[in-house]
Amino acid sequence: MPASPLPLGTIALDSGGDLPLYRQLYDALRDAILDGRLHPGGRLPSSRTLATELGVGRNTVLAAYEQLAAEGYLEGQVGAGTQVAAVLPDSLLQLDRQSKRPEWRRQAGAETRTLSERGKILSATRRLVPAYTRGQGRAFQHGLPAIDRFPAMLWSRLLARHSRDTRSSLFGYEIGIGLPALREAIAAYAGAARGVVCSAEQVIVTVGAQAALDLAARMLLDPGDPVWVEDPGYLGARGALAGAGATLVPVPVDEEGLDVEAGIERHAAPRLVYVTPSHQFPLGATLSLQRRLALLDHAGRCGAWIIEDDYDSEYRYQGRPIPSLQGLDRTGAVIYMGTFAKTLFPALKIGYLIVPGHLVDAFATAIRISGHVPPPAMQAALADFIGEGHYGGHVRRMRALYAERRAIVLDAIGNELSPWLRPAPGEGGLQLSAFLPEGADDRGLAAAAMEAGIHVSPLALYRLEQGRPGLYMGYASVPEAELKRAAAKLAGVLEAAGAPRYS
């Protein structure tokens, strides 16, 4: 089959743009495939030929081809070159809306079949589950790392290494609570980088952080159990805990993190405490040593569990990273939770729990029953990525990049945004909070910004009780030039909306 006529005239690569050339080419080819300009089964030019025609290096084309192949848009056959996949991944995700019957809600007997009580609780928490939208590079989208800086070619090679050999045990049924090599790599990394005290046997690999939260909540809580949650706090945790039937006890947060004394006053004997001690979500505070010790002491006296969510502790830009709360624990109260969504990419869907030894068998049984295990080949590739030193190198490079982007946002808050915003205390993370003057309508201002194409979240969204208004602003996935443009645009939005000013 001859090579498909590529719409080269529509491919404009900008060597001075914010996105790498391979990513620009990837986007152009993917768009051409999805809108039908490149047909399923059609051959693409060789990487050398296309590189010559576009005036770029061959590695640029190879990187774009490999990324498209990894995502299922392209496929290669020996002797046949590279061609557009016969069945596209996006097609598999589309529902045939014409086949849906409008009367599906009125099927006979449907009114006699209802959700379980737990199902009703889970359904009612849907507003608490964060809905992440596409928008890589949109200021000030939060929750996303700089995916365009991820070493996609290297990752593709590691993944292919473990996907080629069907004799491998990775093609069998189950690897329990995680591939042994990955559990070893996680335990070694958490011990060296975060001061976590554990063995590989205590590591439970999960399908991302949300699955880890859900598993811990189901294993540790009964309906009605009181749980301390930070206020403001992470919506995903509140959703998982409320979905398990817990009674949420909002505990205020200040510049030292969770206010332990306030928690004791509100409910002295919680069953569980959920906390983000290294970088509080969303205000950015670090839990002080005095409060860490107070929390551990109180949990020991009242028999409470502590879930330590260490979601982006790698990104601290002043001083050394703060050691984990788990490393200070002497009573086995802390369950440590981590994820690779913020350090690598969210779609990896690999997180983990580090649990006390006596819980391992129970958690292993629960995962075996639920079947919520990340793909083994993906786990093996991640184990290599960590073990061969690529993970540490990538984190170091991203830390430097994010520090630069954070500095741009802080500079904007101190200049063109200074009449309306004040940064919350904090020294790290992929996003930051900025306070508005008392009385400001942060929900309304966030909506006005969204209409202008600027993605910020109101702090009110994360609160169970009334508190200081503000905006939550991400910067990790946003190019430097876009951050500067968006800051000026946000200032115009706040001005036009009549936002209250600081005196």
Side-chain angles (χ1 to χ4, degrees):
M1 179 183 292
S4 297
L6 271 172
L8 294 177
T10 65
I11 297 180
L13 304 183
D14 180 7
S15 59
D18 293 320
L19 288 178
L21 290 175
Y22 90 88
R23 183 70 191 195
Q24 296 179 42
L25 180 57
Y26 159 89
D27 289 338
L29 292 175
R30 181 176 179 274
D31 289 344
I33 291 170
L34 292 178
D35 64 21
R37 287 176 287 142
L38 287 176
H39 302 291
R43 284 186 57 196
L44 271 68
S46 69
S47 58
R48 195 180 307 277
T49 298
L50 184 55
T52 300
E53 291 178 341
L54 294 177
V56 298
R58 187 184 177 205
N59 284 341
T60 295
V61 180
L62 285 172
Y65 276 12
E66 288 182 6
Q67 184 66 30
L68 288 164
E71 295 179 8
Y73 294 99
L74 299 181
E75 56 192 16
Q77 297 179 359
V78 177
T82 301
Q83 62 187 39
V84 180
V87 179
L88 301 179
D90 294 69
S91 300
L92 297 175
L93 298 176
Q94 299 298 318
L95 295 175
D96 181 1
R97 300 187 178 185
Q98 297 302 318
S99 65
K100 282 195 170 185
R101 295 180 299 172
E103 68 276 8
W104 67 277
R105 290 183 181 274
R106 299 190 297 274
Q107 293 173 345
E111 65 279 2
T112 66
R113 294 188 292 272
T114 63
L115 293 171
S116 66
E117 291 305 311
R118 176 174 171 80
K120 293 174 183 176
I121 293 172
L122 285 169
S123 178
T125 63
R126 60 186 179 273
R127 69 178 183 84
L128 297 179
V129 179
Y132 295 109
T133 58
R134 284 186 175 182
Q136 178 75 4
R138 178 197 292 178
F140 294 93
Q141 174 76 51
H142 63 81
L144 286 174
I147 300 172
D148 59 308
R149 302 296 183 95
F150 180 72
M153 290 180 63
L154 169 63
W155 177 257
S156 296
R157 288 196 295 270
L158 294 176
L159 191 57
R161 175 191 297 173
H162 296 286
S163 300
R164 285 192 294 259
D165 185 5
T166 56
R167 297 170 297 176
S168 168
S169 60
L170 300 180
F171 282 77
Y173 261 107
E174 139 156 28
I175 53 175
I177 53 178
L179 192 71
L182 179 56
R183 296 169 71 199
E184 290 280 358
I186 290 173
Y189 174 79
R194 303 296 304 120
V196 173
V197 180
C198 72
S199 66
E201 286 71 25
Q202 293 172 253
V203 177
I204 311 289
V205 179
T206 64
V207 187
Q210 200 61 35
L213 281 166
D214 177 69
L215 175 64
R218 285 187 291 124
M219 296 298 291
L220 303 177
L221 296 173
D222 290 317
D225 280 346
V227 175
W228 286 7
V229 292
E230 298 168 321
D231 192 32
Y234 178 47
L235 294 181
R238 279 165 46 188
L241 296 167
T247 300
L248 302 184
V249 180
V251 180
V253 173
D254 59 22
E255 63 276 2
E256 291 188 64
L258 182 81
D259 189 337
V260 179
E261 289 301 321
I264 294 173
E265 291 177 3
R266 294 185 175 207
H267 199 296
R271 169 67 175 171
L272 184 146
V273 177
Y274 170 82
V275 64
T276 53
S278 296
H279 183 234
Q280 200 277 329
F281 183 100
L283 297 185
T286 298
L287 189 64
S288 67
L289 178 60
Q290 180 180 2
R291 288 192 180 175
R292 288 172 186 245
L293 296 176
L295 178 58
L296 290 169
D297 178 69
H298 187 69
R301 285 190 284 109
C302 71
W305 293 104
I306 299 172
I307 295 181
E308 176 181 11
D309 187 349
D310 211 23
Y311 67 101
D312 68 355
S313 59
E314 290 84 358
Y315 299 122
R316 183 178 173 85
Y317 310 120
Q318 297 178 18
R320 295 181 57 81
I322 303 297
S324 67
L325 183 65
Q326 192 267 6
L328 298 173
D329 181 24
R330 297 295 179 267
T331 65
V334 178
I335 294 176
Y336 180 90
M337 189 179 90
T339 177
F340 296 97
K342 304 299 188 292
T343 51
L344 299 181
F345 56 95
L348 181 62
K349 286 293 183 183
I350 295 181
Y352 58 93
L353 296 169
I354 296 177
V355 305
H358 68 280
L359 293 183
V360 171
D361 288 344
F363 275 65
T365 300
I367 282 194
R368 189 174 299 113
I369 291 171
S370 69
H372 293 167
V373 179
M378 197 78 80
Q379 293 191 50
L382 179 56
D384 288 350
F385 193 80
I386 298 172
E388 295 175 7
H390 308 302
Y391 182 75
H394 180 66
V395 168
R396 286 191 294 273
R397 290 189 294 274
M398 294 302 97
R399 187 183 294 125
L401 174 67
Y402 298 156
E404 179 182 355
R405 292 179 174 180
R406 177 183 175 85
I408 291 172
V409 177
L410 288 172
D411 181 71
I413 292 174
N415 289 286
E416 60 260 49
L417 292 169
S418 62
W420 305 279
L421 296 176
R422 296 288 185 271
E427 300 172 343
L430 307 185
Q431 47 266 322
L432 58 81
S433 288
F435 292 120
L436 291 156
E438 291 293 346
D441 176 12
D442 55 3
R443 290 183 183 271
L445 293 172
M450 184 67 76
E451 290 181 3
I454 300 173
H455 189 114
V456 293
S457 295
L459 288 184
L461 176 67
Y462 307 108
R463 295 189 185 277
L464 288 169
E465 299 179 338
Q466 291 292 325
R468 192 173 178 184
L471 301 178
Y472 193 48
M473 307 167 67
Y475 48 79
S477 66
V478 189
E480 292 82 355
E482 177 58 24
L483 286 172
K484 294 176 181 178
R485 287 193 295 267
K489 192 173 184 180
L490 179 59
V493 169
L494 297 175
E495 176 77 46
R501 293 169 172 255
Y502 284 100
S503 56

